[in-house]
Amino acid sequence: MAALPNYRWHLAPDGLATRRQLRAMGLRPGGQDVAAELKRPRRRRGPLVAYLYRIALAKPVRPMTPARATALAKAMLARRTCPNCRTDAGYCIPRSLGMCGTCISHEEQRSR
C-alpha cells in the first residue's frame, strides 16, 4: 500500500478538493479512494487532516427525493423533540443535556 501524498494548508494542487468543497460544487466523491491528505499544523496538538478527492472523478450529488425529504424531516423532528415534555423545542437538543432549556430550568428550580 503506497502512502498518500501530503500537502500543507493552502498548497494543494488544482484538481483536488475536500468533501465540503465538492459539495459546494454540487459534487460527491462517488466511491473513489482518497487521493491525498491536506495537513494544517497546530502548536500544541497534532495537525488537522483533511482528505482530498479528485474533482475529475467526482459524481453529481443525488437529487432529493420526496421519500428522502420525509425521512430527513422525521429525523430532525426527533432531534428537536424533548424527551421530558414531548414538545418541539425549535432547535436540536444537545445530547449532553438530554432535554430542552425549559425542562432544565424547571429541574434547577426543583433542586433548590
Side-chain angles (χ1 to χ4, degrees):
M1 183 169 120
L4 291 175
N6 289 316
Y7 298 103
R8 288 182 58 91
W9 201 248
H10 295 295
L11 296 178
D14 291 337
L16 297 177
T18 63
R19 282 182 178 269
R20 284 189 180 191
Q21 290 169 336
L22 287 175
R23 185 64 184 209
M25 294 182 238
L27 300 171
R28 61 185 169 94
Q32 65 174 300
D33 291 332
V34 175
E37 288 181 341
L38 186 67
K39 291 193 176 185
R40 179 180 177 196
R42 297 190 289 183
R43 291 186 182 182
R44 294 189 174 99
R45 294 182 275 171
L48 290 173
V49 178
Y51 298 112
L52 299 172
Y53 300 91
R54 286 181 174 70
I55 296 173
L57 300 178
K59 296 179 180 177
V61 175
R62 293 183 186 125
M64 182 66 74
T65 63
R68 285 179 64 198
T70 302
L72 183 60
K74 285 181 182 179
M76 292 306 294
L77 179 62
R79 290 182 65 193
R80 291 191 317 260
T81 303
C82 177
N84 285 357
C85 62
R86 295 284 181 205
T87 59
D88 185 350
Y91 56 89
C92 289
I93 296 171
R95 291 176 58 187
S96 60
L97 300 176
M99 60 183 90
C100 66
T102 308
C103 290
I104 290 173
S105 63
H106 284 94
E107 292 262 332
E108 288 175 356
Q109 290 175 357
R110 280 188 230 141
S111 65
R112 289 182 187 172

